[in-house]
């Protein structure tokens, strides 16, 4: 840790004080107290993530580390690329596929960098002033800023829950179901303006046998807040269509031309609705489940 300390601190950013920033915890307490006393501050929101270190998504963590802190990438990949074997007294064995490992000397650094994309996204979507110590967070500001910060965090959590739920349902009827698969690199491929191009791009889900037997398909989940001010001039149907079109412009051509696969955007709202493409996807999923179980379609969807 001594060798990579400065790199980890730079990658983690100033709001995250668990990564070796000297006097960071003390400074955070004084800073948040000072912010709370400011006239424009209405409230402070305190958050403690549930079972955070054990629930960390390793694929996303390794991707973030590779982009944000290359000096520890090799160590992180060698440690967490494959499920870790845990031995139980009496001869039993478990495989740990998510989260960090107790006793890892870089566990705080890995967790801090893994969370950086969430911290950045919250900072962009809200004016609330935030501070983090690992999975413990605080945000201060106006009630509106706190509200937007809470909604953004909720949307991210809901996205991951929906992604995992869809993957679980697909695994019942499809093969090779994978969460956050990496797309192939673009080599000599021309894509239209607005298409996604970065290397190590990931979509939410891959499955084989959904549309056609043995043919692979990609799916990407988005959760939106339909009551946001930016949607005040749009009806719900237009909101769904806008997000579906955004996803398609980013990924459809790349998936079709490079992966030779199909792509479907799965758009949900925080109020429980879903877009037309998402509805058709679930209709098809219900057909496959009904056929798998030997049930009538109506029985399955009920």
């Amino acid at each position: 840790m001594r060798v990579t300390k400065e790199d980890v601190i730079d990658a983690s950013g100033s709001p995250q004080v668990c990564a070796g920033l000297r006097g960071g915890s003390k400074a955070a307490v004084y800073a948040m107290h000072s912010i709370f006393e400011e006239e424009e501050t209405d409230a402070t929101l305190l958050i403690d993530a549930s079972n955070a270190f054990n629930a960390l998504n390793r694929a996303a963590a390794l991707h973030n580390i590779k982009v944000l802190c290359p000096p520890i990438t090799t160590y992180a990949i060698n440690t967490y690329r494959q499920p870790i074997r845990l031995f139980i007294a009496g001869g039993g064995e478990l495989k740990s596929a998510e989260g960090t490992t107790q006793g890892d000397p870089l566990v705080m650094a890995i967790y801090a960098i893994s969370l950086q994309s969430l911290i950045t996204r919250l900072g962009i979507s809200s004016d609330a002033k935030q501070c983090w110590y690992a999975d413990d967070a605080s945000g201060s500001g106006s009630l509106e800023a706190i509200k937007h910060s809470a909604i953004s965090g909720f949307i991210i959590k809901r996205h991951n829950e929906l992604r995992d739920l869809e993957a679980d349902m697909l695994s019942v009827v499809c093969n090779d179901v994978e969460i956050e698969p990496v797309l192939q690199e673009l080599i000599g491929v021309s894509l239209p303006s607005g298409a996604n191009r970065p290397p190590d791009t990931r979509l939410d889900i891959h499955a084989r046998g959904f549309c056609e037997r043995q043919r692979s398909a990609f799916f990407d989940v988005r959760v939106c807040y339909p009551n946001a001010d930016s949607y005040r001039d749009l009806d719900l149907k237009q909101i769904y269509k806008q997000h579906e079109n955004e996803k398609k412009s980013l990924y459809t051509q790349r998936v079709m031309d490079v992966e030779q696969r199909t792509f479907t955007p799965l758009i949900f709202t925080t109020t429980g609705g879903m877009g037309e493409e998402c509805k058709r996807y679930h209709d098809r999923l219900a057909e496959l489940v009904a056929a798998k179980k030997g049930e009538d379609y109506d029985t399955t969807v009920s």
Side-chain angles (χ1 to χ4, degrees):
M1 181 64 186
R2 185 164 51 247
V3 175
T4 59
K5 182 177 180 179
E6 295 303 321
D7 297 293
V8 170
I9 292 174
D10 289 342
S12 301
S14 56
Q16 177 62 273
V17 299
C18 77
L21 189 63
R22 186 170 183 176
S25 299
K26 186 176 181 179
V29 172
Y30 283 117
M32 294 310 296
H33 180 271
S34 176
I35 292 169
F36 185 72
E37 295 296 327
E38 293 177 357
E39 185 175 346
E40 60 268 27
T41 299
D42 297 324
T44 293
L45 178 67
L46 303 178
I47 300 171
D48 182 13
S50 175
N51 198 30
F53 281 82
N54 291 326
L56 181 69
N57 184 297
R58 287 185 184 170
L62 293 177
H63 172 73
N64 288 349
I65 291 168
K66 183 177 180 180
V67 173
L68 298 174
C69 194
I72 68 170
T73 298
T74 301
Y75 172 87
I77 290 175
N78 289 341
T79 305
Y80 292 107
R81 178 171 49 191
Q82 299 295 332
I84 298 169
R85 300 170 65 189
L86 305 177
F87 299 97
I88 305 172
E93 181 179 329
L94 296 173
K95 288 190 175 181
S96 170
E98 295 291 345
T100 55
T101 301
Q102 187 174 5
D104 179 358
L106 289 185
V107 65
M108 276 296 193
I110 289 172
Y111 189 86
I113 298 169
S114 301
L115 221 61
Q116 184 54 38
S117 58
L118 170 62
I119 296 173
T120 300
R121 181 168 176 176
L122 291 175
I124 293 172
S125 63
S126 169
D127 292 330
K129 298 173 182 177
Q130 53 179 321
C131 185
W132 293 70
Y133 184 85
D135 59 323
D136 299 316
S138 61
S140 294
S142 66
L143 290 177
E144 189 65 22
I146 294 295
K147 175 185 174 183
H148 278 291
S149 182
I151 289 172
S152 297
F154 171 75
I155 287 174
I156 293 168
K157 182 176 185 294
R158 177 63 62 87
H159 167 275
N160 293 346
E161 290 174 346
L162 285 169
R163 177 202 62 200
D164 294 347
L165 175 62
E166 297 297 346
D168 287 342
M169 291 192 294
L170 283 167
S171 65
V172 175
V173 294
C174 296
N175 297 314
D176 299 334
V177 177
E178 183 182 359
I179 291 176
E180 295 190 345
V182 181
L183 299 184
Q184 298 180 55
E185 290 189 20
L186 300 175
I187 301 177
V189 178
S190 177
L191 294 177
S193 175
N196 178 278
R197 289 179 171 80
D200 295 330
T201 293
R202 296 173 181 269
L203 292 177
D204 282 326
I205 308 170
H206 166 272
R208 182 165 55 84
F210 181 79
C211 301
E212 301 174 19
R213 185 177 178 84
Q214 299 302 322
R215 188 177 184 188
S216 292
F218 287 92
F219 309 91
D220 208 58
V221 174
R222 176 177 287 181
V223 182
C224 64
Y225 177 54
N227 298 321
D229 291 340
S230 56
Y231 302 137
R232 61 180 176 271
D233 296 327
L234 302 176
D235 60 34
L236 196 54
K237 186 175 181 179
Q238 291 173 316
I239 294 172
Y240 287 130
K241 196 65 178 177
Q242 174 181 311
H243 287 288
E244 286 175 348
N245 289 340
E246 287 177 3
K247 285 287 187 183
K248 287 180 178 180
S249 65
L250 282 170
Y251 300 115
T252 297
Q253 208 63 41
R254 178 169 180 173
V255 170
M256 291 179 63
D257 292 353
V258 180
E259 305 291 335
Q260 303 295 306
R261 306 290 186 259
T262 61
F263 173 72
T264 303
L266 305 179
I267 309 301
F268 300 87
T269 64
T270 56
T271 54
M274 62 179 71
E276 288 301 318
E277 299 241 9
C278 194
K279 290 177 182 178
R280 288 196 290 270
Y281 156 83
H282 283 101
D283 287 342
R284 173 61 177 164
L285 182 60
E287 290 177 3
L288 294 173
V289 172
K292 180 84 171 183
K293 295 184 176 181
E295 300 176 341
D296 293 332
Y297 175 83
D298 292 340
T299 302
T300 300
V301 296
S302 64

